[in-house]
Amino acid sequence: MNMTTPYAYQFWPGPMEGVAKAEFVATVNELDLVSRWMTPFLRVSEIPAPRKTVAIFLAPFLRSGKPVTLQLMGDDAKILAETAKTAVALGAEGINLNCGCPSKRVVRHHSGGAMLNDATLIGEICRAIKDAIGEKEFSLKFRSGSGDWREVENFLPPLAASGDVDGFFYHCRTVAEGYTAIADRKERFLTAAQAAGDVPLVLNGDFDDGAESFAILAECRAKGAMIARNWMRDPYLLRRCEKQDAPDAETGRQLFFTTFCAKNPPRGAQLEICRMLWGEKSPVFRKLCKKTK
Ligand SMILES: Cc1cc2nc3c(=O)[nH]c(=O)nc-3n(C[C@H](O)[C@H](O)[C@H](O)COP(=O)(O)O)c2cc1C
């Protein structure tokens, strides 16, 4: 891949649990807004997810005809590996393990971001999933650490050296930082790029289509960027990053919302998507709230 031409990078939609429901995914597919999908997390704990559950979960994403990566969350290697096997049999191109979710409920259950405290367990899970899915891509999505962003320098090199992980998705915040703005994002990306060694790295955290984002991608020799919230504020953002024709941000928001509402999603979902597109202080959102009362 030529790392100097911007469109050679991969641009990924950030998984968004609670947002990427059927009507949302159908809207993205209809407007052709992404080149690939990573699903939100499917949490598996007591038993491997039954085939039917995985099929229903994957279906809206697979309908796009684009490569789909299923994201899994859990802390039991055998159960996760079994579920991963089912998912690839159903058409998933890749499996991703969530090691970053900061939700208190998730962390309490020793999953998501809490996993960063147990690198040995992450390694065991990676090995089990990779063994189960063979040639299909296995990747890890993680934050910089639990409380200190430099934790990444400790847990990442052994995972990179293990040979079990085909790619990393790195969200530069710590679990404790949640979604707060951070000032030293570039330093964090460069540090992770070093720690990842030869394993391809996709960067995540406040990316957009601006010159600064592309400069970071080039400096880190990254494989690409994953964008969540900025994509929701500008639904054609990933297409613009890929240097494809795209309408301006406001036209894109209107097109997205009209297409989404035409699918008759529940009123609450309409409000949530409107809030993500325009922000809760926007006249559009306020007007919709008034209508709903
Ligand atoms: C509503 C919402 C739901 C999310 N759900 C997931 C998820 O299921 N899995 C995951 O790995 N990250 C999830 N994230 C995190 C994003 O994918 C992304 O890593 C984070 O927002 C940072 O990227 P950004 O700065 O481009 O938004 C979620 C974020 C939001 C705002």
PDB file of all heavy atoms in Angstrom, residues 41-63:
ATOM      1  N   PHE A  41     -20.174  -4.014  19.657  1.00  0.00           N
ATOM      2  CA  PHE A  41     -19.837  -5.274  20.327  1.00  0.00           C
ATOM      3  C   PHE A  41     -21.041  -6.191  20.506  1.00  0.00           C
ATOM      4  O   PHE A  41     -22.145  -5.745  20.766  1.00  0.00           O
ATOM      5  CB  PHE A  41     -19.152  -5.024  21.675  1.00  0.00           C
ATOM      6  CG  PHE A  41     -20.005  -4.327  22.708  1.00  0.00           C
ATOM      7  CD1 PHE A  41     -20.972  -5.010  23.425  1.00  0.00           C
ATOM      8  CD2 PHE A  41     -19.824  -2.980  22.976  1.00  0.00           C
ATOM      9  CE1 PHE A  41     -21.750  -4.371  24.386  1.00  0.00           C
ATOM     10  CE2 PHE A  41     -20.594  -2.328  23.925  1.00  0.00           C
ATOM     11  CZ  PHE A  41     -21.556  -3.023  24.635  1.00  0.00           C
ATOM     12  N   LEU A  42     -20.738  -7.487  20.328  1.00  0.00           N
ATOM     13  CA  LEU A  42     -21.688  -8.531  20.703  1.00  0.00           C
ATOM     14  C   LEU A  42     -21.098  -9.130  21.968  1.00  0.00           C
ATOM     15  O   LEU A  42     -19.987  -9.679  21.939  1.00  0.00           O
ATOM     16  CB  LEU A  42     -21.790  -9.583  19.593  1.00  0.00           C
ATOM     17  CG  LEU A  42     -22.641 -10.818  19.914  1.00  0.00           C
ATOM     18  CD1 LEU A  42     -24.119 -10.440  20.061  1.00  0.00           C
ATOM     19  CD2 LEU A  42     -22.504 -11.875  18.818  1.00  0.00           C
ATOM     20  N   ARG A  43     -21.819  -9.003  23.070  1.00  0.00           N
ATOM     21  CA  ARG A  43     -21.265  -9.467  24.345  1.00  0.00           C
ATOM     22  C   ARG A  43     -21.586 -10.942  24.542  1.00  0.00           C
ATOM     23  O   ARG A  43     -22.740 -11.349  24.442  1.00  0.00           O
ATOM     24  CB  ARG A  43     -21.833  -8.625  25.488  1.00  0.00           C
ATOM     25  CG  ARG A  43     -21.169  -8.877  26.771  1.00  0.00           C
ATOM     26  CD  ARG A  43     -21.222  -7.693  27.702  1.00  0.00           C
ATOM     27  NE  ARG A  43     -20.343  -7.973  28.816  1.00  0.00           N
ATOM     28  CZ  ARG A  43     -20.703  -8.721  29.851  1.00  0.00           C
ATOM     29  NH1 ARG A  43     -21.909  -9.193  29.935  1.00  0.00           N
ATOM     30  NH2 ARG A  43     -19.836  -8.982  30.809  1.00  0.00           N
ATOM     31  N   VAL A  44     -20.557 -11.751  24.781  1.00  0.00           N
ATOM     32  CA  VAL A  44     -20.793 -13.175  25.023  1.00  0.00           C
ATOM     33  C   VAL A  44     -20.161 -13.557  26.350  1.00  0.00           C
ATOM     34  O   VAL A  44     -18.993 -13.278  26.581  1.00  0.00           O
ATOM     35  CB  VAL A  44     -20.237 -14.076  23.888  1.00  0.00           C
ATOM     36  CG1 VAL A  44     -21.244 -14.244  22.784  1.00  0.00           C
ATOM     37  CG2 VAL A  44     -18.945 -13.568  23.301  1.00  0.00           C
ATOM     38  N   SER A  45     -20.962 -14.189  27.218  1.00  0.00           N
ATOM     39  CA  SER A  45     -20.405 -14.503  28.529  1.00  0.00           C
ATOM     40  C   SER A  45     -20.596 -15.959  28.927  1.00  0.00           C
ATOM     41  O   SER A  45     -19.635 -16.723  28.932  1.00  0.00           O
ATOM     42  CB  SER A  45     -20.981 -13.565  29.591  1.00  0.00           C
ATOM     43  OG  SER A  45     -22.371 -13.466  29.468  1.00  0.00           O
ATOM     44  N   GLU A  46     -21.827 -16.371  29.196  1.00  0.00           N
ATOM     45  CA  GLU A  46     -22.031 -17.710  29.769  1.00  0.00           C
ATOM     46  C   GLU A  46     -21.791 -18.853  28.780  1.00  0.00           C
ATOM     47  O   GLU A  46     -21.171 -19.852  29.106  1.00  0.00           O
ATOM     48  CB  GLU A  46     -23.478 -17.824  30.290  1.00  0.00           C
ATOM     49  CG  GLU A  46     -23.911 -16.659  31.155  1.00  0.00           C
ATOM     50  CD  GLU A  46     -23.439 -16.813  32.578  1.00  0.00           C
ATOM     51  OE1 GLU A  46     -23.866 -17.781  33.206  1.00  0.00           O
ATOM     52  OE2 GLU A  46     -22.650 -15.963  33.044  1.00  0.00           O
ATOM     53  N   ILE A  47     -22.347 -18.660  27.557  1.00  0.00           N
ATOM     54  CA  ILE A  47     -22.237 -19.708  26.531  1.00  0.00           C
ATOM     55  C   ILE A  47     -21.873 -19.046  25.194  1.00  0.00           C
ATOM     56  O   ILE A  47     -22.104 -17.845  25.029  1.00  0.00           O
ATOM     57  CB  ILE A  47     -23.575 -20.480  26.339  1.00  0.00           C
ATOM     58  CG1 ILE A  47     -24.722 -19.463  26.116  1.00  0.00           C
ATOM     59  CG2 ILE A  47     -23.880 -21.412  27.497  1.00  0.00           C
ATOM     60  CD1 ILE A  47     -25.964 -20.071  25.501  1.00  0.00           C
ATOM     61  N   PRO A  48     -21.348 -19.820  24.230  1.00  0.00           N
ATOM     62  CA  PRO A  48     -21.099 -19.215  22.914  1.00  0.00           C
ATOM     63  C   PRO A  48     -22.417 -18.703  22.344  1.00  0.00           C
ATOM     64  O   PRO A  48     -23.462 -19.315  22.562  1.00  0.00           O
ATOM     65  CB  PRO A  48     -20.568 -20.389  22.081  1.00  0.00           C
ATOM     66  CG  PRO A  48     -20.105 -21.416  23.055  1.00  0.00           C
ATOM     67  CD  PRO A  48     -20.947 -21.249  24.281  1.00  0.00           C
ATOM     68  N   ALA A  49     -22.384 -17.580  21.643  1.00  0.00           N
ATOM     69  CA  ALA A  49     -23.631 -17.048  21.080  1.00  0.00           C
ATOM     70  C   ALA A  49     -24.189 -18.053  20.074  1.00  0.00           C
ATOM     71  O   ALA A  49     -23.444 -18.530  19.208  1.00  0.00           O
ATOM     72  CB  ALA A  49     -23.354 -15.716  20.408  1.00  0.00           C
ATOM     73  N   PRO A  50     -25.485 -18.384  20.195  1.00  0.00           N
ATOM     74  CA  PRO A  50     -26.072 -19.337  19.245  1.00  0.00           C
ATOM     75  C   PRO A  50     -26.006 -18.800  17.819  1.00  0.00           C
ATOM     76  O   PRO A  50     -26.035 -17.581  17.603  1.00  0.00           O
ATOM     77  CB  PRO A  50     -27.534 -19.450  19.717  1.00  0.00           C
ATOM     78  CG  PRO A  50     -27.542 -18.931  21.108  1.00  0.00           C
ATOM     79  CD  PRO A  50     -26.422 -17.943  21.218  1.00  0.00           C
ATOM     80  N   ARG A  51     -25.961 -19.717  16.856  1.00  0.00           N
ATOM     81  CA  ARG A  51     -25.848 -19.355  15.444  1.00  0.00           C
ATOM     82  C   ARG A  51     -26.920 -18.329  15.043  1.00  0.00           C
ATOM     83  O   ARG A  51     -26.645 -17.364  14.342  1.00  0.00           O
ATOM     84  CB  ARG A  51     -25.986 -20.646  14.618  1.00  0.00           C
ATOM     85  CG  ARG A  51     -25.709 -20.465  13.165  1.00  0.00           C
ATOM     86  CD  ARG A  51     -25.864 -21.777  12.414  1.00  0.00           C
ATOM     87  NE  ARG A  51     -25.978 -21.510  10.999  1.00  0.00           N
ATOM     88  CZ  ARG A  51     -24.960 -21.390  10.171  1.00  0.00           C
ATOM     89  NH1 ARG A  51     -23.744 -21.549  10.612  1.00  0.00           N
ATOM     90  NH2 ARG A  51     -25.135 -21.106   8.897  1.00  0.00           N
ATOM     91  N   LYS A  52     -28.145 -18.557  15.514  1.00  0.00           N
ATOM     92  CA  LYS A  52     -29.249 -17.674  15.129  1.00  0.00           C
ATOM     93  C   LYS A  52     -29.008 -16.234  15.648  1.00  0.00           C
ATOM     94  O   LYS A  52     -29.247 -15.259  14.948  1.00  0.00           O
ATOM     95  CB  LYS A  52     -30.564 -18.236  15.697  1.00  0.00           C
ATOM     96  CG  LYS A  52     -31.778 -17.615  15.074  1.00  0.00           C
ATOM     97  CD  LYS A  52     -33.039 -18.320  15.492  1.00  0.00           C
ATOM     98  CE  LYS A  52     -34.228 -17.450  15.124  1.00  0.00           C
ATOM     99  NZ  LYS A  52     -35.443 -17.889  15.791  1.00  0.00           N
ATOM    100  N   THR A  53     -28.513 -16.142  16.855  1.00  0.00           N
ATOM    101  CA  THR A  53     -28.237 -14.816  17.447  1.00  0.00           C
ATOM    102  C   THR A  53     -27.181 -14.078  16.621  1.00  0.00           C
ATOM    103  O   THR A  53     -27.323 -12.893  16.313  1.00  0.00           O
ATOM    104  CB  THR A  53     -27.704 -14.998  18.897  1.00  0.00           C
ATOM    105  OG1 THR A  53     -28.658 -15.757  19.618  1.00  0.00           O
ATOM    106  CG2 THR A  53     -27.460 -13.666  19.581  1.00  0.00           C
ATOM    107  N   VAL A  54     -26.130 -14.813  16.261  1.00  0.00           N
ATOM    108  CA  VAL A  54     -25.044 -14.180  15.493  1.00  0.00           C
ATOM    109  C   VAL A  54     -25.563 -13.783  14.107  1.00  0.00           C
ATOM    110  O   VAL A  54     -25.268 -12.686  13.606  1.00  0.00           O
ATOM    111  CB  VAL A  54     -23.822 -15.133  15.375  1.00  0.00           C
ATOM    112  CG1 VAL A  54     -22.688 -14.467  14.609  1.00  0.00           C
ATOM    113  CG2 VAL A  54     -23.340 -15.558  16.754  1.00  0.00           C
ATOM    114  N   ALA A  55     -26.380 -14.660  13.506  1.00  0.00           N
ATOM    115  CA  ALA A  55     -26.911 -14.375  12.165  1.00  0.00           C
ATOM    116  C   ALA A  55     -27.770 -13.111  12.188  1.00  0.00           C
ATOM    117  O   ALA A  55     -27.641 -12.236  11.314  1.00  0.00           O
ATOM    118  CB  ALA A  55     -27.720 -15.566  11.654  1.00  0.00           C
ATOM    119  N   ILE A  56     -28.621 -12.988  13.199  1.00  0.00           N
ATOM    120  CA  ILE A  56     -29.497 -11.810  13.294  1.00  0.00           C
ATOM    121  C   ILE A  56     -28.653 -10.551  13.526  1.00  0.00           C
ATOM    122  O   ILE A  56     -28.890  -9.504  12.944  1.00  0.00           O
ATOM    123  CB  ILE A  56     -30.552 -12.002  14.413  1.00  0.00           C
ATOM    124  CG1 ILE A  56     -31.538 -13.104  14.004  1.00  0.00           C
ATOM    125  CG2 ILE A  56     -31.284 -10.706  14.736  1.00  0.00           C
ATOM    126  CD1 ILE A  56     -32.496 -13.550  15.091  1.00  0.00           C
ATOM    127  N   PHE A  57     -27.654 -10.691  14.371  1.00  0.00           N
ATOM    128  CA  PHE A  57     -26.788  -9.545  14.690  1.00  0.00           C
ATOM    129  C   PHE A  57     -26.040  -9.051  13.449  1.00  0.00           C
ATOM    130  O   PHE A  57     -25.918  -7.843  13.209  1.00  0.00           O
ATOM    131  CB  PHE A  57     -25.787  -9.971  15.778  1.00  0.00           C
ATOM    132  CG  PHE A  57     -25.027  -8.825  16.391  1.00  0.00           C
ATOM    133  CD1 PHE A  57     -25.573  -8.070  17.411  1.00  0.00           C
ATOM    134  CD2 PHE A  57     -23.751  -8.502  15.946  1.00  0.00           C
ATOM    135  CE1 PHE A  57     -24.869  -7.018  17.979  1.00  0.00           C
ATOM    136  CE2 PHE A  57     -23.035  -7.447  16.508  1.00  0.00           C
ATOM    137  CZ  PHE A  57     -23.605  -6.704  17.532  1.00  0.00           C
ATOM    138  N   LEU A  58     -25.537  -9.997  12.650  1.00  0.00           N
ATOM    139  CA  LEU A  58     -24.722  -9.627  11.477  1.00  0.00           C
ATOM    140  C   LEU A  58     -25.547  -9.156  10.282  1.00  0.00           C
ATOM    141  O   LEU A  58     -25.040  -8.397   9.430  1.00  0.00           O
ATOM    142  CB  LEU A  58     -23.876 -10.831  11.029  1.00  0.00           C
ATOM    143  CG  LEU A  58     -22.655 -11.201  11.853  1.00  0.00           C
ATOM    144  CD1 LEU A  58     -22.067 -12.521  11.340  1.00  0.00           C
ATOM    145  CD2 LEU A  58     -21.591 -10.093  11.782  1.00  0.00           C
ATOM    146  N   ALA A  59     -26.793  -9.630  10.206  1.00  0.00           N
ATOM    147  CA  ALA A  59     -27.583  -9.463   8.972  1.00  0.00           C
ATOM    148  C   ALA A  59     -27.606  -8.040   8.403  1.00  0.00           C
ATOM    149  O   ALA A  59     -27.321  -7.852   7.207  1.00  0.00           O
ATOM    150  CB  ALA A  59     -28.996  -9.988   9.188  1.00  0.00           C
ATOM    151  N   PRO A  60     -27.926  -6.984   9.185  1.00  0.00           N
ATOM    152  CA  PRO A  60     -27.995  -5.644   8.584  1.00  0.00           C
ATOM    153  C   PRO A  60     -26.670  -5.201   7.965  1.00  0.00           C
ATOM    154  O   PRO A  60     -26.656  -4.529   6.938  1.00  0.00           O
ATOM    155  CB  PRO A  60     -28.350  -4.724   9.771  1.00  0.00           C
ATOM    156  CG  PRO A  60     -28.758  -5.620  10.881  1.00  0.00           C
ATOM    157  CD  PRO A  60     -28.193  -6.965  10.623  1.00  0.00           C
ATOM    158  N   PHE A  61     -25.577  -5.626   8.582  1.00  0.00           N
ATOM    159  CA  PHE A  61     -24.249  -5.231   8.088  1.00  0.00           C
ATOM    160  C   PHE A  61     -23.896  -6.009   6.818  1.00  0.00           C
ATOM    161  O   PHE A  61     -23.399  -5.444   5.858  1.00  0.00           O
ATOM    162  CB  PHE A  61     -23.197  -5.467   9.177  1.00  0.00           C
ATOM    163  CG  PHE A  61     -23.494  -4.711  10.453  1.00  0.00           C
ATOM    164  CD1 PHE A  61     -24.182  -5.310  11.502  1.00  0.00           C
ATOM    165  CD2 PHE A  61     -23.117  -3.389  10.588  1.00  0.00           C
ATOM    166  CE1 PHE A  61     -24.481  -4.612  12.665  1.00  0.00           C
ATOM    167  CE2 PHE A  61     -23.403  -2.668  11.741  1.00  0.00           C
ATOM    168  CZ  PHE A  61     -24.092  -3.290  12.784  1.00  0.00           C
ATOM    169  N   LEU A  62     -24.184  -7.316   6.837  1.00  0.00           N
ATOM    170  CA  LEU A  62     -23.853  -8.154   5.674  1.00  0.00           C
ATOM    171  C   LEU A  62     -24.648  -7.730   4.442  1.00  0.00           C
ATOM    172  O   LEU A  62     -24.180  -7.899   3.314  1.00  0.00           O
ATOM    173  CB  LEU A  62     -24.128  -9.631   5.990  1.00  0.00           C
ATOM    174  CG  LEU A  62     -23.148 -10.298   6.970  1.00  0.00           C
ATOM    175  CD1 LEU A  62     -23.621 -11.708   7.324  1.00  0.00           C
ATOM    176  CD2 LEU A  62     -21.739 -10.359   6.381  1.00  0.00           C
ATOM    177  N   ARG A  63     -25.841  -7.155   4.666  1.00  0.00           N
ATOM    178  CA  ARG A  63     -26.666  -6.709   3.538  1.00  0.00           C
ATOM    179  C   ARG A  63     -25.946  -5.665   2.682  1.00  0.00           C
ATOM    180  O   ARG A  63     -26.290  -5.443   1.527  1.00  0.00           O
ATOM    181  CB  ARG A  63     -27.983  -6.126   4.064  1.00  0.00           C
ATOM    182  CG  ARG A  63     -29.155  -7.040   3.764  1.00  0.00           C
ATOM    183  CD  ARG A  63     -30.447  -6.558   4.406  1.00  0.00           C
ATOM    184  NE  ARG A  63     -30.955  -7.611   5.280  1.00  0.00           N
ATOM    185  CZ  ARG A  63     -31.345  -7.456   6.526  1.00  0.00           C
ATOM    186  NH1 ARG A  63     -31.323  -6.254   7.080  1.00  0.00           N
ATOM    187  NH2 ARG A  63     -31.778  -8.474   7.221  1.00  0.00           N
TER     188      ARG A  63
END
